[in-house]
Amino acid sequence: MRISESGGEGAVIKFVESICGGDDPRVVLGFGDDAALLQSGERLLVVTTDLLVEGTHFRRETMDPYSLGWKAVAVNISDVAAMGGEPTFAFVSIALPDVDIGFVRELYQGMEDISRRFGSRVVGGDTNRVTGEIVINVAQLGEVEKGHQTLRSAARVGDRLLVTGTLGDSLAGFRLLDALGAEKARVVSEEAVMRHLRPIPRVPEARAAVAKGLIHGMMDLSDGLAIDLGKMCEASGVGARVFPDRLPVSDALRAAAERLGEDPAALAASGGEDYELLIAAAPESAQELIDTVRAATGTLVTEIGEFVEGDGAVLVDGSGAESPLRAGWKHF
Amino acid sequence: MRISESGGEGAVIKFVESICGGDDPRVVLGFGDDAALLQSGERLLVVTTDLLVEGTHFRRETMDPYSLGWKAVAVNISDVAAMGGEPTFAFVSIALPDVDIGFVRELYQGMEDISRRFGSRVVGGDTNRVTGEIVINVAQLGEVEKGHQTLRSAARVGDRLLVTGTLGDSLAGFRLLDALGAEKARVVSEEAVMRHLRPIPRVPEARAAVAKGLIHGMMDLSDGLAIDLGKMCEASGVGARVFPDRLPVSDALRAAAERLGEDPAALAASGGEDYELLIAAAPESAQELIDTVRAATGTLVTEIGEFVEGDGAVLVDGSGAESPLRAGWKHF
């Protein structure tokens, strides 16, 4: 029976966990969150890894090599941030066809620049020549103080639901690149395009809130609010109510949405690859969290809903009526 | 200018090191050895990563899924052993086309079994569906006591050159599989075929010698004696003399070589993927090292040559005449 007939990627993940899981005193957290947490001296070691295959995860027509390197590392640093940690070292495995050597230089410069920005370093890897597609794997290490780790399974009933930054920009940028090509897309919204090509993980935002113990649960937004909040609810055994009018939307997203003829709120609710942080905080901590992150980083944190008893996430409109939060949700 | 016109993979590696290198007090050893070494509490963290792409690194016709999983992890554990360390955790990224779900189960069972054998665990990863080839990346962590790390750059003039186990079996196994197919190849030499499909990294051998401080320099044999000894000489700034009549050759290799019409010593000198350890030890430590490893593990360690002033490795025949040790070297 093929993977597609057996439940798809979910079935693969279940297999892996059933074969490789099991208790181990050295493992604080194995599969199932943004990263693994391992005992390692005074702090916990945070480890995450992410594989990118050309054609499946990116295309060279819309992704320049510098951005490709940047993003390959940034998405891993974002996973470390989502655990409350700070990134330390990256290991990059790469399979390259016979591209221009300048492509290689740009690619690694992008990796190096995003790493340095957050105190991390690319310190090892594996290079391979292939005849097919480009493949890049980044294994990112980080550290978090014991007790400060922020799991996606730790949201509690009554917690407020908060999110950093603005939502939907990356999807808008991708749609612009796809519809118009790189040059014209940048004219419409350089900001949305850059949010897609060069996401900036929310490390200092997470660290500022974690240092004050203001977070119950956290994860990063890679698949979009609808999907990722569903995962957080499932992991925590809670439900969530989201107020769509509160979703933080940038001017760049509005401009891009207008050009694309799309609904900004729908892009915000379903758009992936924003690499913002989804946070569960106690009601009495929510405002302090917002103020702390703003003071430390200048970044906006917005309360967009609450965690409740139940399962799954719903949208609550102005009249109080509820509808399921789905990836294809339309505002109007 | 394309990679192939710029010096190939060596040029890529130089680029990566020039962009991503540079001193960092947390990094004991970055690029250039079997694994990186990082400050992490009382012990050093050992990290290595290896990417396998179907068609380039393996073919499904000659590599069953259990062996593929086993080998993908084993080669990384071997890198940890080569640093003197013990493996702790593996992170597996995978891109899978729509294969049979049994393939996935076998693959991960192979990874799990080799990991457990050496006290390591698969604790995280990333799974992806693709339409093209299978891609597997393993990032392996390990630990080594500070001061016990064994670098390939640490061979000294006057050191004896030793090697664990026997050489050439994996290449013989591969040649048999390639020429005869899996079933017939196993009839000729199950042992050689299994050395190719399911290498057993030399973790306890390395640890026993390291615990007694008997090793100056070490690396694992992935590309074959000729290539890897050349790398060790270059990294250490020394030359090496190898006595071909001393190369340890198994009965399995002799049988396979006879069936293939090849020279056993040539297979031993140039065959890759043996994952034996190449060791530089002080003359006064060589016999104790041989005895210690034999007592702890039952594994044969053989003195096959010596490190001398100069650069590169030469073969020294019975009359004392020297000839360069090259990958294509023929004994007769």
Side-chain angles (χ1 to χ4, degrees):
Chain A
M1 197 162 49
R2 295 189 171 272
I3 294 174
S4 57
E5 302 158 337
S6 312
E9 195 179 332
V12 172
I13 293 170
K14 283 214 178 76
F15 256 136
V16 174
E17 292 189 18
S18 71
I19 294 167
C20 303
D23 284 345
D24 187 315
R26 303 170 299 170
V27 182
V28 178
L29 186 71
F31 294 94
D33 211 307
D34 293 293
L37 296 173
L38 306 167
Q39 298 286 1
S40 171
E42 287 185 20
R43 302 175 101 192
L44 297 175
L45 186 64
V46 186
V47 190
T48 185
T49 185
D50 199 51
L51 182 69
L52 299 177
V53 180
E54 185 180 3
T56 300
H57 299 101
F58 66 91
R59 289 179 295 142
R60 271 187 262 177
E61 300 88 74
T62 49
M63 183 67 82
D64 64 283
Y66 182 90
S67 297
L68 177 59
W70 175 290
K71 191 166 180 174
V73 171
V75 303
N76 283 280
I77 291 180
S78 180
D79 281 325
V80 174
M83 304 306 288
E86 55 186 17
T88 52
F89 304 108
F91 295 80
V92 179
S93 299
I94 193 159
L96 280 172
D98 197 13
V99 297
D100 193 276
I101 193 79
F103 184 97
V104 181
R105 184 168 39 212
E106 287 293 304
L107 184 73
Y108 278 88
Q109 195 64 54
M111 294 183 190
E112 176 71 4
D113 288 352
I114 182 69
S115 296
R116 292 257 183 191
R117 180 164 177 154
F118 294 109
S120 181
R121 296 286 302 275
V122 179
V123 289
D126 180 35
T127 59
N128 301 271
R129 269 289 299 280
V130 291
T131 52
E133 294 89 13
I134 297 173
V135 178
I136 303 174
N137 189 83
V138 176
Q140 177 73 47
L141 308 188
E143 293 181 349
V144 63
E145 298 80 4
K146 282 181 187 174
H148 280 196
Q149 65 268 29
T150 48
L151 311 189
R152 66 172 64 174
S153 57
R156 303 174 200 172
V157 171
D159 277 352
R160 300 292 163 82
L161 170 64
L162 302 102
V163 69
T164 58
T166 56
L167 299 178
D169 302 88
S170 175
L171 178 59
F174 173 74
R175 292 267 173 85
L176 288 173
L177 284 166
D178 201 45
L180 307 175
E183 206 167 321
K184 284 186 186 167
R186 284 174 183 228
V187 173
V188 176
S189 178
E190 174 80 10
E191 189 180 331
V193 167
M194 292 302 276
R195 282 290 304 267
H196 179 69
L197 295 178
R198 301 190 197 161
I200 297 174
R202 296 301 195 180
V203 178
E205 290 79 2
R207 297 290 292 168
V210 159
K212 289 200 173 178
L214 298 170
I215 296 176
H216 282 166
M218 186 154 68
M219 72 181 291
D220 77 331
L221 284 167
S222 53
D223 293 336
L225 179 66
I227 292 173
D228 288 331
L229 181 55
K231 290 180 182 173
M232 194 168 182
C233 285
E234 191 184 348
S236 295
V238 298
R241 290 158 49 89
V242 175
F243 306 105
D245 293 339
R246 295 195 197 166
L247 295 182
V249 173
S250 69
D251 291 343
L253 178 66
R254 287 185 215 282
E258 188 176 344
R259 178 70 175 76
L260 292 161
E262 302 219 29
D263 172 17
L267 288 170
S270 61
E273 305 203 352
D274 280 323
Y275 299 101
E276 297 292 353
L277 295 171
L278 201 56
I279 302 169
E284 64 273 18
S285 301
Q287 190 57 49
E288 187 183 352
L289 194 158
I290 291 167
D291 295 342
T292 297
V293 172
R294 171 62 68 97
T297 66
T299 299
L300 177 79
V301 177
T302 308
E303 188 179 317
I304 61 170
E306 61 193 359
F307 289 96
V308 294
E309 286 188 29
D311 55 3
V314 295
L315 290 166
V316 184
D317 71 14
S319 72
E322 295 184 357
S323 59
L325 173 58
R326 294 203 193 92
W329 171 76
K330 299 278 181 210
H331 195 211
F332 300 109
Chain B
M1 197 162 49
R2 293 187 173 273
I3 294 173
S4 56
E5 303 159 335
S6 312
E9 195 179 333
V12 172
I13 293 170
K14 283 214 177 79
F15 255 137
V16 174
E17 293 188 19
S18 71
I19 293 168
C20 304
D23 285 344
D24 186 316
R26 303 170 300 170
V27 182
V28 177
L29 186 69
F31 294 93
D33 211 308
D34 293 293
L37 296 173
L38 306 167
Q39 298 285 1
S40 171
E42 287 184 18
R43 303 175 101 193
L44 297 175
L45 184 64
V46 185
V47 189
T48 183
T49 186
D50 199 50
L51 181 70
L52 300 176
V53 180
E54 185 179 3
T56 300
H57 300 101
F58 66 91
R59 289 179 296 140
R60 271 187 260 177
E61 299 89 75
T62 50
M63 183 68 80
D64 65 281
Y66 182 92
S67 297
L68 178 59
W70 175 290
K71 191 166 181 173
V73 171
V75 303
N76 283 281
I77 290 180
S78 180
D79 281 325
V80 173
M83 304 306 289
E86 53 186 19
T88 52
F89 304 108
F91 294 81
V92 179
S93 300
I94 194 159
L96 282 171
D98 196 14
V99 297
D100 192 275
I101 193 80
F103 184 97
V104 181
R105 185 167 40 214
E106 288 293 305
L107 184 74
Y108 277 89
Q109 194 63 56
M111 294 183 191
E112 176 70 3
D113 288 352
I114 183 68
S115 296
R116 291 258 183 190
R117 181 166 178 153
F118 294 108
S120 181
R121 296 286 302 278
V122 178
V123 289
D126 180 35
T127 60
N128 302 271
R129 270 288 300 281
V130 290
T131 52
E133 294 88 12
I134 297 173
V135 178
I136 303 174
N137 189 83
V138 177
Q140 177 73 47
L141 308 190
E143 294 181 349
V144 63
E145 298 79 5
K146 281 182 188 174
H148 281 196
Q149 66 268 29
T150 48
L151 312 190
R152 65 173 63 174
S153 57
R156 304 173 200 172
V157 170
D159 278 353
R160 299 293 162 80
L161 171 64
L162 302 102
V163 70
T164 58
T166 57
L167 299 178
D169 302 88
S170 176
L171 178 60
F174 172 75
R175 291 268 173 84
L176 288 173
L177 285 166
D178 201 44
L180 308 174
E183 207 168 319
K184 285 186 185 167
R186 285 174 181 227
V187 173
V188 176
S189 178
E190 173 81 9
E191 188 180 332
V193 167
M194 291 303 276
R195 282 289 304 267
H196 179 69
L197 295 179
R198 300 190 198 162
I200 297 174
R202 297 301 195 180
V203 178
E205 290 80 2
R207 297 289 294 169
V210 159
K212 289 198 173 179
L214 298 170
I215 295 176
H216 282 166
M218 186 154 68
M219 72 181 290
D220 76 331
L221 284 167
S222 54
D223 293 337
L225 178 66
I227 291 173
D228 288 332
L229 181 56
K231 289 180 182 175
M232 194 168 181
C233 285
E234 191 184 347
S236 295
V238 298
R241 289 157 49 89
V242 175
F243 307 105
D245 294 339
R246 296 195 196 166
L247 295 182
V249 173
S250 69
D251 291 345
L253 178 66
R254 286 184 218 284
E258 189 175 343
R259 179 70 175 79
L260 292 162
E262 302 220 30
D263 171 18
L267 287 170
S270 61
E273 304 202 354
D274 281 322
Y275 300 102
E276 297 291 354
L277 295 172
L278 201 56
I279 301 169
E284 63 274 19
S285 302
Q287 191 57 49
E288 187 183 353
L289 194 158
I290 291 167
D291 296 340
T292 298
V293 172
R294 171 61 69 97
T297 66
T299 299
L300 177 79
V301 177
T302 309
E303 188 179 317
I304 62 170
E306 61 192 0
F307 289 95
V308 295
E309 287 187 30
D311 54 3
V314 296
L315 289 165
V316 184
D317 71 15
S319 72
E322 296 184 355
S323 59
L325 173 57
R326 295 202 193 94
W329 171 75
K330 299 280 179 208
H331 195 212
F332 300 109

mmCIF file of all heavy atoms in Angstrom, chain B residues 15-48:
data_model
loop_
_atom_site.group_PDB
_atom_site.id
_atom_site.type_symbol
_atom_site.label_atom_id
_atom_site.label_comp_id
_atom_site.label_asym_id
_atom_site.label_seq_id
_atom_site.Cartn_x
_atom_site.Cartn_y
_atom_site.Cartn_z
ATOM 1 N N PHE B 15 34.734 28.134 -0.915
ATOM 2 C CA PHE B 15 33.798 29.251 -0.839
ATOM 3 C C PHE B 15 33.057 29.257 0.492
ATOM 4 O O PHE B 15 32.948 30.272 1.168
ATOM 5 C CB PHE B 15 32.751 29.142 -1.951
ATOM 6 C CG PHE B 15 32.974 30.097 -3.072
ATOM 7 C CD1 PHE B 15 32.834 29.672 -4.375
ATOM 8 C CD2 PHE B 15 33.305 31.418 -2.840
ATOM 9 C CE1 PHE B 15 33.041 30.538 -5.424
ATOM 10 C CE2 PHE B 15 33.514 32.290 -3.877
ATOM 11 C CZ PHE B 15 33.382 31.847 -5.173
ATOM 12 N N VAL B 16 32.528 28.088 0.829
ATOM 13 C CA VAL B 16 31.736 27.976 2.057
ATOM 14 C C VAL B 16 32.589 28.368 3.256
ATOM 15 O O VAL B 16 32.168 29.148 4.114
ATOM 16 C CB VAL B 16 31.194 26.538 2.222
ATOM 17 C CG1 VAL B 16 30.502 26.379 3.565
ATOM 18 C CG2 VAL B 16 30.240 26.190 1.078
ATOM 19 N N GLU B 17 33.819 27.863 3.305
ATOM 20 C CA GLU B 17 34.683 28.167 4.449
ATOM 21 C C GLU B 17 35.073 29.638 4.482
ATOM 22 O O GLU B 17 35.164 30.234 5.552
ATOM 23 C CB GLU B 17 35.928 27.280 4.416
ATOM 24 C CG GLU B 17 35.594 25.814 4.655
ATOM 25 C CD GLU B 17 36.828 24.942 4.816
ATOM 26 O OE1 GLU B 17 37.911 25.493 5.102
ATOM 27 O OE2 GLU B 17 36.698 23.732 4.643
ATOM 28 N N SER B 18 35.277 30.234 3.298
ATOM 29 C CA SER B 18 35.676 31.645 3.283
ATOM 30 C C SER B 18 34.516 32.541 3.708
ATOM 31 O O SER B 18 34.721 33.579 4.335
ATOM 32 C CB SER B 18 36.194 32.047 1.901
ATOM 33 O OG SER B 18 35.129 32.104 0.977
ATOM 34 N N ILE B 19 33.303 32.142 3.391
ATOM 35 C CA ILE B 19 32.137 32.957 3.751
ATOM 36 C C ILE B 19 31.726 32.706 5.199
ATOM 37 O O ILE B 19 31.411 33.625 5.939
ATOM 38 C CB ILE B 19 30.953 32.666 2.797
ATOM 39 C CG1 ILE B 19 31.285 33.146 1.383
ATOM 40 C CG2 ILE B 19 29.671 33.326 3.295
ATOM 41 C CD1 ILE B 19 30.333 32.651 0.311
ATOM 42 N N CYS B 20 31.710 31.424 5.587
ATOM 43 C CA CYS B 20 31.140 31.056 6.889
ATOM 44 C C CYS B 20 32.191 30.816 7.965
ATOM 45 O O CYS B 20 31.844 30.607 9.127
ATOM 46 C CB CYS B 20 30.271 29.809 6.754
ATOM 47 S SG CYS B 20 28.963 29.984 5.532
ATOM 48 N N GLY B 21 33.470 30.796 7.610
ATOM 49 C CA GLY B 21 34.501 30.502 8.603
ATOM 50 C C GLY B 21 34.736 31.676 9.537
ATOM 51 O O GLY B 21 33.914 32.558 9.678
ATOM 52 N N GLY B 22 35.884 31.692 10.183
ATOM 53 C CA GLY B 22 36.193 32.782 11.104
ATOM 54 C C GLY B 22 36.137 32.286 12.541
ATOM 55 O O GLY B 22 35.366 31.405 12.865
ATOM 56 N N ASP B 23 36.972 32.875 13.388
ATOM 57 C CA ASP B 23 37.086 32.402 14.767
ATOM 58 C C ASP B 23 35.825 32.664 15.576
ATOM 59 O O ASP B 23 35.139 33.661 15.373
ATOM 60 C CB ASP B 23 38.280 33.085 15.450
ATOM 61 C CG ASP B 23 39.597 32.499 14.977
ATOM 62 O OD1 ASP B 23 39.559 31.403 14.390
ATOM 63 O OD2 ASP B 23 40.636 33.132 15.195
ATOM 64 N N ASP B 24 35.558 31.767 16.484
ATOM 65 C CA ASP B 24 34.438 31.888 17.407
ATOM 66 C C ASP B 24 34.812 31.046 18.620
ATOM 67 O O ASP B 24 35.125 29.871 18.477
ATOM 68 C CB ASP B 24 33.164 31.347 16.739
ATOM 69 C CG ASP B 24 31.923 31.588 17.591
ATOM 70 O OD1 ASP B 24 31.970 31.368 18.818
ATOM 71 O OD2 ASP B 24 30.909 31.990 17.017
ATOM 72 N N PRO B 25 34.817 31.665 19.806
ATOM 73 C CA PRO B 25 35.285 30.911 20.982
ATOM 74 C C PRO B 25 34.435 29.669 21.286
ATOM 75 O O PRO B 25 34.899 28.774 21.978
ATOM 76 C CB PRO B 25 35.184 31.942 22.121
ATOM 77 C CG PRO B 25 34.276 33.011 21.620
ATOM 78 C CD PRO B 25 34.440 33.041 20.140
ATOM 79 N N ARG B 26 33.211 29.623 20.771
ATOM 80 C CA ARG B 26 32.354 28.451 21.032
ATOM 81 C C ARG B 26 32.688 27.282 20.121
ATOM 82 O O ARG B 26 32.258 26.159 20.341
ATOM 83 C CB ARG B 26 30.889 28.821 20.806
ATOM 84 C CG ARG B 26 30.388 29.990 21.648
ATOM 85 C CD ARG B 26 29.012 30.424 21.167
ATOM 86 N NE ARG B 26 29.024 30.856 19.771
ATOM 87 C CZ ARG B 26 27.940 31.104 19.038
ATOM 88 N NH1 ARG B 26 26.741 30.925 19.564
ATOM 89 N NH2 ARG B 26 28.031 31.509 17.788
ATOM 90 N N VAL B 27 33.446 27.590 19.026
ATOM 91 C CA VAL B 27 33.722 26.558 18.020
ATOM 92 C C VAL B 27 35.142 26.024 18.205
ATOM 93 O O VAL B 27 36.111 26.717 17.946
ATOM 94 C CB VAL B 27 33.558 27.132 16.592
ATOM 95 C CG1 VAL B 27 33.790 26.032 15.558
ATOM 96 C CG2 VAL B 27 32.181 27.756 16.423
ATOM 97 N N VAL B 28 35.255 24.785 18.664
ATOM 98 C CA VAL B 28 36.564 24.160 18.824
ATOM 99 C C VAL B 28 37.099 23.748 17.461
ATOM 100 O O VAL B 28 38.285 23.872 17.167
ATOM 101 C CB VAL B 28 36.470 22.930 19.758
ATOM 102 C CG1 VAL B 28 37.812 22.231 19.879
ATOM 103 C CG2 VAL B 28 35.943 23.355 21.130
ATOM 104 N N LEU B 29 36.196 23.279 16.608
ATOM 105 C CA LEU B 29 36.575 22.822 15.278
ATOM 106 C C LEU B 29 35.364 22.966 14.368
ATOM 107 O O LEU B 29 34.298 22.438 14.673
ATOM 108 C CB LEU B 29 37.006 21.348 15.348
ATOM 109 C CG LEU B 29 37.580 20.732 14.089
ATOM 110 C CD1 LEU B 29 38.943 21.330 13.773
ATOM 111 C CD2 LEU B 29 37.706 19.224 14.264
ATOM 112 N N GLY B 30 35.540 23.709 13.258
ATOM 113 C CA GLY B 30 34.419 23.915 12.337
ATOM 114 C C GLY B 30 34.513 22.968 11.157
ATOM 115 O O GLY B 30 34.492 21.748 11.320
ATOM 116 N N PHE B 31 34.672 23.530 9.985
ATOM 117 C CA PHE B 31 34.752 22.719 8.776
ATOM 118 C C PHE B 31 36.060 21.935 8.706
ATOM 119 O O PHE B 31 37.049 22.294 9.309
ATOM 120 C CB PHE B 31 34.678 23.634 7.546
ATOM 121 C CG PHE B 31 33.359 24.316 7.400
ATOM 122 C CD1 PHE B 31 33.155 25.586 7.925
ATOM 123 C CD2 PHE B 31 32.315 23.702 6.732
ATOM 124 C CE1 PHE B 31 31.934 26.228 7.785
ATOM 125 C CE2 PHE B 31 31.091 24.328 6.596
ATOM 126 C CZ PHE B 31 30.905 25.592 7.121
ATOM 127 N N GLY B 32 36.064 20.853 7.928
ATOM 128 C CA GLY B 32 37.319 20.248 7.504
ATOM 129 C C GLY B 32 37.678 18.911 8.127
ATOM 130 O O GLY B 32 38.592 18.246 7.650
ATOM 131 N N ASP B 33 36.985 18.490 9.189
ATOM 132 C CA ASP B 33 37.271 17.178 9.765
ATOM 133 C C ASP B 33 36.035 16.291 9.595
ATOM 134 O O ASP B 33 35.113 16.639 8.864
ATOM 135 C CB ASP B 33 37.685 17.329 11.241
ATOM 136 C CG ASP B 33 38.680 16.251 11.673
ATOM 137 O OD1 ASP B 33 38.394 15.062 11.464
ATOM 138 O OD2 ASP B 33 39.747 16.611 12.200
ATOM 139 N N ASP B 34 36.020 15.137 10.252
ATOM 140 C CA ASP B 34 34.864 14.250 10.120
ATOM 141 C C ASP B 34 33.603 14.866 10.704
ATOM 142 O O ASP B 34 32.493 14.549 10.284
ATOM 143 C CB ASP B 34 35.152 12.915 10.814
ATOM 144 C CG ASP B 34 36.253 12.138 10.106
ATOM 145 O OD1 ASP B 34 36.021 11.706 8.974
ATOM 146 O OD2 ASP B 34 37.346 11.993 10.669
ATOM 147 N N ALA B 35 33.777 15.730 11.699
ATOM 148 C CA ALA B 35 32.631 16.352 12.349
ATOM 149 C C ALA B 35 33.096 17.666 12.963
ATOM 150 O O ALA B 35 34.301 17.912 13.084
ATOM 151 C CB ALA B 35 32.061 15.429 13.426
ATOM 152 N N ALA B 36 32.145 18.506 13.337
ATOM 153 C CA ALA B 36 32.465 19.742 14.046
ATOM 154 C C ALA B 36 32.469 19.464 15.544
ATOM 155 O O ALA B 36 31.810 18.546 16.024
ATOM 156 C CB ALA B 36 31.437 20.816 13.720
ATOM 157 N N LEU B 37 33.243 20.270 16.284
ATOM 158 C CA LEU B 37 33.302 20.160 17.741
ATOM 159 C C LEU B 37 32.925 21.502 18.345
ATOM 160 O O LEU B 37 33.506 22.528 17.989
ATOM 161 C CB LEU B 37 34.716 19.775 18.196
ATOM 162 C CG LEU B 37 35.235 18.409 17.742
ATOM 163 C CD1 LEU B 37 36.706 18.265 18.135
ATOM 164 C CD2 LEU B 37 34.411 17.284 18.366
ATOM 165 N N LEU B 38 31.972 21.475 19.270
ATOM 166 C CA LEU B 38 31.434 22.710 19.829
ATOM 167 C C LEU B 38 31.470 22.672 21.349
ATOM 168 O O LEU B 38 31.216 21.627 21.953
ATOM 169 C CB LEU B 38 29.978 22.880 19.367
ATOM 170 C CG LEU B 38 29.782 22.804 17.845
ATOM 171 C CD1 LEU B 38 28.303 22.672 17.512
ATOM 172 C CD2 LEU B 38 30.391 24.011 17.167
ATOM 173 N N GLN B 39 31.756 23.811 21.966
ATOM 174 C CA GLN B 39 31.688 23.907 23.418
ATOM 175 C C GLN B 39 30.253 23.684 23.863
ATOM 176 O O GLN B 39 29.328 24.269 23.303
ATOM 177 C CB GLN B 39 32.141 25.293 23.894
ATOM 178 C CG GLN B 39 33.573 25.634 23.550
ATOM 179 C CD GLN B 39 34.591 24.900 24.426
ATOM 180 O OE1 GLN B 39 34.229 24.108 25.292
ATOM 181 N NE2 GLN B 39 35.873 25.150 24.179
ATOM 182 N N SER B 40 30.073 22.816 24.866
ATOM 183 C CA SER B 40 28.723 22.533 25.351
ATOM 184 C C SER B 40 28.828 21.901 26.725
ATOM 185 O O SER B 40 28.815 20.682 26.853
ATOM 186 C CB SER B 40 28.020 21.583 24.373
ATOM 187 O OG SER B 40 26.807 21.134 24.924
ATOM 188 N N GLY B 41 28.958 22.745 27.729
ATOM 189 C CA GLY B 41 29.058 22.217 29.083
ATOM 190 C C GLY B 41 30.371 21.485 29.301
ATOM 191 O O GLY B 41 31.419 21.912 28.809
ATOM 192 N N GLU B 42 30.318 20.358 30.002
ATOM 193 C CA GLU B 42 31.548 19.679 30.400
ATOM 194 C C GLU B 42 32.208 18.905 29.270
ATOM 195 O O GLU B 42 33.403 18.668 29.290
ATOM 196 C CB GLU B 42 31.254 18.718 31.557
ATOM 197 C CG GLU B 42 31.011 19.449 32.867
ATOM 198 C CD GLU B 42 30.814 18.487 34.017
ATOM 199 O OE1 GLU B 42 31.199 17.321 33.882
ATOM 200 O OE2 GLU B 42 30.270 18.921 35.043
ATOM 201 N N ARG B 43 31.388 18.443 28.310
ATOM 202 C CA ARG B 43 31.942 17.693 27.190
ATOM 203 C C ARG B 43 31.828 18.527 25.916
ATOM 204 O O ARG B 43 31.162 19.566 25.902
ATOM 205 C CB ARG B 43 31.175 16.374 27.024
ATOM 206 C CG ARG B 43 31.199 15.513 28.284
ATOM 207 C CD ARG B 43 30.328 14.281 28.139
ATOM 208 N NE ARG B 43 31.103 13.090 27.838
ATOM 209 C CZ ARG B 43 30.575 11.930 27.419
ATOM 210 N NH1 ARG B 43 29.286 11.825 27.213
ATOM 211 N NH2 ARG B 43 31.336 10.893 27.169
ATOM 212 N N LEU B 44 32.484 18.071 24.872
ATOM 213 C CA LEU B 44 32.324 18.733 23.580
ATOM 214 C C LEU B 44 31.173 18.080 22.831
ATOM 215 O O LEU B 44 30.996 16.861 22.861
ATOM 216 C CB LEU B 44 33.606 18.603 22.758
ATOM 217 C CG LEU B 44 34.849 19.267 23.328
ATOM 218 C CD1 LEU B 44 36.066 18.945 22.454
ATOM 219 C CD2 LEU B 44 34.660 20.769 23.453
ATOM 220 N N LEU B 45 30.408 18.917 22.160
ATOM 221 C CA LEU B 45 29.342 18.424 21.307
ATOM 222 C C LEU B 45 29.944 18.113 19.933
ATOM 223 O O LEU B 45 30.641 18.940 19.356
ATOM 224 C CB LEU B 45 28.259 19.502 21.191
ATOM 225 C CG LEU B 45 26.985 19.177 20.424
ATOM 226 C CD1 LEU B 45 26.207 18.059 21.126
ATOM 227 C CD2 LEU B 45 26.117 20.437 20.325
ATOM 228 N N VAL B 46 29.688 16.918 19.441
ATOM 229 C CA VAL B 46 30.165 16.488 18.124
ATOM 230 C C VAL B 46 28.966 16.529 17.179
ATOM 231 O O VAL B 46 27.907 15.994 17.506
ATOM 232 C CB VAL B 46 30.717 15.051 18.180
ATOM 233 C CG1 VAL B 46 31.335 14.655 16.841
ATOM 234 C CG2 VAL B 46 31.728 14.891 19.308
ATOM 235 N N VAL B 47 29.115 17.167 16.028
ATOM 236 C CA VAL B 47 28.000 17.238 15.076
ATOM 237 C C VAL B 47 28.494 16.953 13.669
ATOM 238 O O VAL B 47 29.495 17.513 13.221
ATOM 239 C CB VAL B 47 27.312 18.623 15.080
ATOM 240 C CG1 VAL B 47 26.030 18.577 14.256
ATOM 241 C CG2 VAL B 47 27.001 19.085 16.492
ATOM 242 N N THR B 48 27.776 16.075 12.981
ATOM 243 C CA THR B 48 28.101 15.779 11.592
ATOM 244 C C THR B 48 26.811 15.591 10.824
ATOM 245 O O THR B 48 25.772 15.272 11.404
ATOM 246 C CB THR B 48 28.996 14.533 11.489
ATOM 247 O OG1 THR B 48 29.359 14.319 10.133
ATOM 248 C CG2 THR B 48 28.283 13.295 12.026
#
